[in-house]
Amino acid sequence: MRTATAIAAAVRSGEASAASLAARALDALRADSHVAVTRVLAERAMAEASAVDARIARGEDAGPLAGVPYALKDLFDVEGLPTTAGSAARAKEPAAAADAEAVRRLQAAGAVLCATVNMDAFAYGFATVNADYGTTRNPHDLARLAGGSSGGSAAVVAAGLVPLALGSDTNGSVRVPASLCGLYGLRPARGDMPVAGTYPFAESFDEIGPFAADLGDLALVWEVLRGGAVAPSAAAPRIARLGGRFRANADPAQLAAIDVIAPDAPLLVLPDVPRARSAAFVITAYEGGHLHREALKADPFGYDPAVRDRLIAGALQPHALYERALAFRTEYVARIEALVSDFDVLLAPSAPCAAPLIADPMILIDGEPSPARANLGIHT
């Protein structure tokens, strides 16, 4: 599939119609072999594409993403559909009354929504192993994981079914599948993109982010979602490589690539990384567990078993521990901001290894076999 930038240019010039491109994308999504697509939105896609073609026929600006097909992780509200958040139990919930804000902005820019895609249930995992909707497969090797929790979003882009997809990232759920599927993925700065209308996991950390196979496409969708471009700096970026824990659990080929990119960049060691990761997990587990506490009491067996047990554990955490983790976070952010203030770019792995095998979803962490679902985000 062509890049989103090329597709939009072809639609605006009249070289291609948005309707024909949507029909082609819908056919590809229906034939998906990666266990990535949960719903093909043919009626909506064709209506949006026809609206784009009508704007062009009237001589109007159809937007920077005119006619570009895209997919959504199944936790964004889509008007008229229940927001499942990766759980079949939520398929019986009332339909969303309106689109998520990110969906509204993409539609205003001319993009065409074609499908919703698979995820770890309630975004709790790094593997997109879903008891209800199946395990998403990596397009580069169907025997391997695509990563998660936004694995469906990564897979449909890596497979060339659509040029863009949206995911969410709490503790690495865009960055990990982007790495394992060979894509560009972005977790933005806090508050840089609209999260309204997305099903939460842990609101202290939740962000949305795009996937693209082309860096120009990633920049374009980022500008659309954040509501404007940022002027690039004329100065060369100041680069550092992250050392310490970020080199302790990484494929040697990754580290070699980082060292080739910036051989003279200083090696920066961040303090207390294991403690910071533990604090992040405490906050995540507590917020996620308490969000689901009443639903777990009412219907615990409606939950994916692997996710249910983790949510119950989070709901049972004492509030005092959560408060300690929040206090540590505030202090730690200040320390890190002071430490990295002289740099614009920090180079580090997004995942510790190549995509694990679905049949043996274990990875080595500190030399010991560890579950991929919980530990692929060790660097994020």
Side-chain angles (χ1 to χ4, degrees):
M1 177 171 280
R2 289 185 290 180
T3 67
T5 305
I7 289 170
V11 169
R12 286 195 301 267
S13 70
E15 176 193 329
S17 72
S20 66
L21 292 166
R24 192 179 309 162
L26 291 167
D27 285 344
L29 291 160
R30 290 189 190 99
D32 168 50
S33 60
H34 308 92
V35 197
V37 177
T38 54
R39 293 177 290 200
V40 176
L41 308 180
E43 185 176 346
R44 172 164 178 154
M46 294 311 298
E48 289 186 350
S50 296
V52 169
D53 288 336
R55 287 164 66 183
I56 290 170
R58 293 192 298 268
E60 299 173 5
D61 181 3
L65 292 172
V68 175
Y70 75 101
L72 285 175
K73 186 176 183 177
D74 218 344
L75 52 64
F76 288 81
D77 286 352
V78 176
E79 183 179 357
L81 297 177
T83 306
T84 73
S87 171
R90 285 194 52 82
K92 304 169 188 174
E93 292 293 313
D99 289 338
E101 177 62 19
V103 177
R104 191 195 66 77
R105 293 187 188 184
L106 289 174
Q107 183 179 14
V112 174
L113 176 58
C114 292
T116 60
V117 291
N118 202 11
M119 56 183 286
D120 286 290
F122 299 113
Y124 211 160
F126 291 118
T128 311
V129 175
N130 189 299
D132 295 321
Y133 298 108
T135 296
T136 297
R137 298 176 178 274
N138 195 308
H140 300 289
D141 182 345
L142 297 182
R144 295 181 182 272
L145 293 169
S149 63
S150 306
S153 302
V156 292
V157 175
L161 308 184
V162 288
L164 297 174
L166 291 191
S168 67
D169 189 311
T170 302
N171 285 322
S173 289
V174 166
R175 291 164 285 168
V176 168
S179 179
L180 297 189
C181 291
L183 298 173
Y184 295 104
L186 177 66
R187 176 198 165 89
R190 189 74 173 153
D192 221 22
M193 289 189 188
V195 297
T198 57
Y199 193 89
F201 170 22
E203 294 189 50
S204 285
F205 292 110
D206 290 346
E207 296 293 336
I208 68 167
F211 292 88
D214 177 81
L215 187 57
D217 286 356
L218 190 80
L220 179 58
V221 72
W222 177 69
E223 290 175 356
V224 166
L225 288 171
R226 73 181 304 276
V230 173
S233 170
R238 300 165 298 173
I239 300 173
R241 296 168 295 157
L242 290 186
R245 290 291 294 176
F246 292 94
R247 294 179 81 90
N249 290 290
D251 189 302
Q254 287 180 304
L255 300 180
I258 288 171
D259 294 343
V260 166
I261 291 168
D264 300 321
L267 206 59
L268 190 63
V269 177
L270 307 184
D272 287 342
V273 170
R275 189 178 176 206
R277 187 167 184 255
S278 296
F281 276 163
V282 166
I283 296 167
T284 300
Y286 181 92
E287 293 184 0
H290 281 262
L291 174 68
H292 290 271
R293 189 168 185 146
E294 296 307 313
L296 283 164
K297 288 180 183 177
D299 183 20
F301 296 105
Y303 281 73
D304 179 325
V307 172
R308 178 187 62 224
D309 294 347
R310 297 176 79 185
L311 289 171
I312 289 172
L316 293 174
Q317 280 189 165
H319 185 73
L321 181 62
Y322 173 65
E323 292 286 352
R324 283 179 58 196
L326 289 177
F328 173 80
R329 179 188 185 182
T330 299
E331 179 265 337
Y332 191 73
V333 165
R335 289 167 66 194
I336 296 303
E337 285 181 343
L339 189 63
V340 305
S341 61
D342 290 336
F343 303 101
D344 304 301
V345 177
L346 305 176
L347 294 177
S350 290
C353 56
L357 291 167
I358 293 171
D360 183 25
M362 303 293 285
I363 61 176
L364 288 179
I365 299 295
D366 296 335
E368 298 293 329
S370 301
R373 184 170 187 166
N375 291 288
L376 278 168
I378 191 168
H379 297 309
T380 54

